[in-house]
Amino acid sequence: MEHDTIQNRAGAGAAGELADVDEHTITALVNGRIAATAAPRLAQIVAALTRHLHDFAREVRLDEDELMAAIAFMTEVGQMSDARRQECILLSDVLGLSMLVTAQSRRKPAGCTEATVFGPFHVPDSPEHAPGDDIANGAPGAPCFVRGVVRTLDGTPVAGAKIEVWQADEAGCYDVQYAGLEQARARATLRTDAHGAYRFRSIVASPYPIPHDGPVGRLLAALGRHPWRPAHLHFMITADACEPLITHVFRAGAPYLDADAVFGVRQSLIAEWRLHPPGPGPGGVTLAQPFYTLDFDFVLNASAGVSESA
Ligand code: BEZ
Ligand code: FE
């Protein structure tokens, strides 16, 4: 109790008197309790969060029912989250927070491939594949052959870069969204060759709705927002002495490019998926059905000097 009293006085800045708590004095009171021994970055973040949170509550004159509704919502977001369903990430994504943080912390020199949101469907240690392999592994969708080169900004090819790729199938689902599916589908780990080149076969990317059968979906509906993302392929590329790149390639002409539910589209990441009639395809295969090709080169930021490709 005595400790509280001392802290309250300090927070209110009125020596010798108990702080008079009201909706204006409470902010300094709360932040005044942060100990001088707290880690400086944590103290900075929590103090700013408190300030903005209190300003927000004052601005909208948040009432008790609304606070309880918000707490119930956050409880549900937490309870819905597990290793396969990341409702917390979804909330950050639809509020634009994920993209904001990516944009400000992954800004790269002009000419480098831009970063975008990570999303909740990356799986570490996806199966390793050889160049040209079909990584679809039974995922439904029209065949698509993807190839390109990974370089640094000065044009040097990056040999041995680790490329992780993952995507949704034509039903708009990632493999991890199918209950009981143990095998990776339409996701893989590949390595660039001595010339920095990569290639693989998969399926064409389709637009899909982010999971919207939970509290985040209800929030979107209540706001009159849709849950759709434009068709895209996810890439994570890591290489010695380069800044890791987490990005997508978006399909030109596909719906929702200008209305992504998670605000991840960047103009420089939009590319053409070319449609071909049945017949000879890349790598000497002959296809009995129409197929697509995508050519996309990546430019890594070598100046950061980060090594994470092991
Ligand atoms: C995704 O592209 O996989 C994704 C990103 C944000 C929210 C949901 C899905
Ligand atoms: Fe995705």
Side-chain angles (χ1 to χ4, degrees):
M1 277 311 281
E2 189 188 322
H3 179 74
D4 265 354
T5 306
I6 292 166
Q7 293 292 321
N8 284 354
R9 284 175 189 161
E17 285 173 28
L18 267 180
D20 193 9
V21 183
D22 64 24
E23 70 270 40
H24 300 291
T25 59
I26 182 95
T27 307
L29 203 54
V30 172
N31 281 340
R33 296 268 180 101
I34 298 174
T37 51
R41 180 63 174 158
L42 177 69
Q44 180 193 13
I45 288 173
V46 174
L49 176 67
T50 304
R51 240 179 14 254
H52 288 281
L53 206 53
H54 288 196
D55 282 345
F56 148 76
R58 283 185 286 257
E59 180 188 319
V60 302
R61 297 202 66 79
L62 197 71
D63 70 24
E64 288 168 330
D65 288 346
E66 290 162 341
L67 178 60
M68 288 316 293
I71 288 170
F73 176 79
M74 292 304 296
T75 303
E76 208 183 328
V77 168
Q79 286 171 342
M80 189 134 196
S81 299
D82 59 25
R84 289 177 92 95
R85 174 68 180 254
Q86 282 293 343
E87 197 74 2
C88 298
I89 295 182
L90 280 186
L91 181 59
S92 165
D93 292 340
V94 302
L95 293 178
L97 182 61
S98 304
M99 191 57 201
L100 184 158
V101 170
T102 295
Q104 73 179 3
S105 56
R106 293 289 170 190
R107 196 174 295 122
K108 300 178 198 309
C112 287
T113 306
E114 292 185 293
T116 188
V117 289
F118 198 29
F121 295 126
H122 173 259
V123 177
D125 305 318
S126 291
E128 294 262 357
H129 279 274
D133 275 0
D134 185 352
I135 69 163
N137 195 24
C144 179
F145 296 83
V146 185
R147 66 176 183 189
V149 176
V150 180
R151 297 188 181 87
T152 53
L153 203 46
D154 63 3
T156 309
V158 182
K162 178 181 176 186
I163 299 185
E164 290 170 79
V165 58
W166 64 106
Q167 67 167 112
D169 63 21
E170 71 177 5
C173 292
Y174 287 79
D175 52 4
V176 290
Q177 293 178 280
Y178 290 99
L181 181 66
E182 297 301 330
Q183 288 185 338
R185 286 203 322 200
R187 77 168 66 242
T189 303
L190 301 126
R191 304 265 170 183
T192 54
D193 67 15
H195 308 288
Y198 73 91
R199 59 196 167 89
F200 61 91
R201 173 177 171 167
S202 187
I203 52 172
V204 69
S206 306
Y208 65 86
I210 64 169
H212 57 288
D213 56 344
V216 171
R218 280 205 323 274
L219 177 66
L220 289 180
L223 294 173
R225 284 179 53 182
H226 69 75
W228 287 86
R229 296 215 66 204
H232 60 270
L233 270 180
H234 291 259
F235 286 90
M236 177 152 77
I237 305 181
T238 46
D240 285 341
C242 290
E243 182 185 358
L245 173 67
I246 294 171
T247 196
H248 306 357
V249 182
F250 292 94
R251 188 170 154 199
Y256 304 109
L257 276 174
D258 59 352
D260 184 2
V262 303
F263 310 96
V265 179
R266 302 185 123 172
Q267 297 295 327
S268 67
L269 301 177
I270 299 174
E272 201 70 44
W273 264 247
R274 289 176 50 224
L275 178 61
H276 304 266
V285 289
T286 299
L287 290 111
Q289 61 189 121
F291 63 95
Y292 291 84
T293 55
L294 166 68
D295 292 279
F296 198 87
D297 295 346
F298 294 93
V299 180
L300 302 185
N301 182 16
S303 58
V306 182
S307 173
E308 291 194 12
S309 66

